[in-house]
Amino acid sequence: VDLGCGYGDWTARLASIARRVIAVDLSPGFVAQTRARLAGHADARVERADVRSFVDYRDATVIHLGGVLTYVEDRAALEVLTLARHRLAPRGLLHTRDWCAINLGRPSRQHRAGIDSFHRTPAQYERLARRAGLRILEVRRSASIYGEQLAPHPAVRWFPSFLWRLGTSYWTRGSVSFLFARA
């Protein structure tokens, strides 16, 4: 299940390994783009709905929230995480990825072009997840949306990771990905 699927890039990746996929977004344009991307997938469903109230799925083995929680206040973020937890299969996984306050960055609320965004710290996301009944399996921080995808071979992963963190230590915003399971 891809909640807040946008134009469907992650949905298409999920569909390549899943028998069935459900994608949800509030934007009619994104829904149309995602439907076009999934045209060849036999068991794909794309819905136009608000992720804060969409419950037309259950026992999901994987739920993806990409950049969704950045755009909702804490109360709504907790509701989304709690709904997802209740819809998650007992051994399912919830993956989130949001733009956060990292390093010396401070939490903030920004309002631009009529859109609010909330830049929480990773610790604030962790608290929200725990309150929603989730346990944290993995956290990956990156100063860019691509950093965590640049991980080299496990035997030498520490060195490039160290250099990356050192080189981006002054950045105050970055991408943080979480992998959660039911608590």
Side-chain angles (χ1 to χ4, degrees):
V1 177
D2 191 356
L3 297 174
C5 64
Y7 58 86
D9 57 335
W10 277 86
T11 314
R13 288 179 182 197
L14 292 170
S16 71
I17 60 170
R19 281 184 313 216
R20 189 178 80 172
V21 73
I22 299 168
V24 179
D25 204 285
L26 193 54
S27 164
F30 282 157
V31 167
Q33 287 178 333
T34 302
R35 282 184 179 145
R37 278 181 181 241
L38 298 177
H41 195 279
D43 201 1
R45 190 172 102 219
V46 183
E47 299 284 337
R48 182 175 179 264
D50 190 322
V51 299
R52 294 174 292 183
S53 57
F54 183 75
V55 294
D56 195 15
Y57 66 100
R58 64 175 182 211
D59 293 326
T61 53
V62 175
I63 298 174
H64 177 256
L65 285 161
V68 172
L69 300 178
T70 298
Y71 299 102
V72 296
E73 61 182 276
D74 285 353
R75 181 185 49 76
L78 180 59
E79 289 173 6
V80 169
L81 290 171
T82 302
L83 274 173
R85 184 221 174 270
H86 288 298
R87 298 291 187 221
L88 197 60
R91 294 183 184 214
L93 298 173
L94 171 61
H95 176 253
T96 68
R97 180 179 180 147
D98 282 284
W99 198 242
C100 294
I102 62 170
N103 300 325
L104 300 175
R106 295 179 185 215
S108 66
R109 178 180 185 171
Q110 297 180 1
H111 185 80
R112 290 190 183 141
I115 298 172
D116 285 324
S117 60
F118 301 85
H119 302 283
R120 298 174 181 92
T121 65
Q124 288 174 307
Y125 276 106
E126 291 173 14
R127 284 192 293 275
L128 285 169
R130 280 198 226 42
R131 286 180 58 201
L134 297 165
R135 71 183 154 95
I136 301 158
L137 300 176
E138 182 177 286
V139 180
R140 289 188 177 230
R141 292 174 178 90
S142 172
S144 87
I145 61 169
Y146 304 110
E148 69 269 12
Q149 297 171 349
L150 301 175
H153 188 276
V156 294
R157 182 174 289 156
W158 69 270
F159 186 68
S161 175
F162 170 77
L163 290 177
W164 179 262
R165 286 184 186 264
L166 183 64
T168 59
S169 62
Y170 65 94
W171 292 15
T172 60
R173 296 276 185 268
S175 173
V176 179
S177 294
F178 292 93
L179 194 58
F180 299 114
R182 288 177 164 201

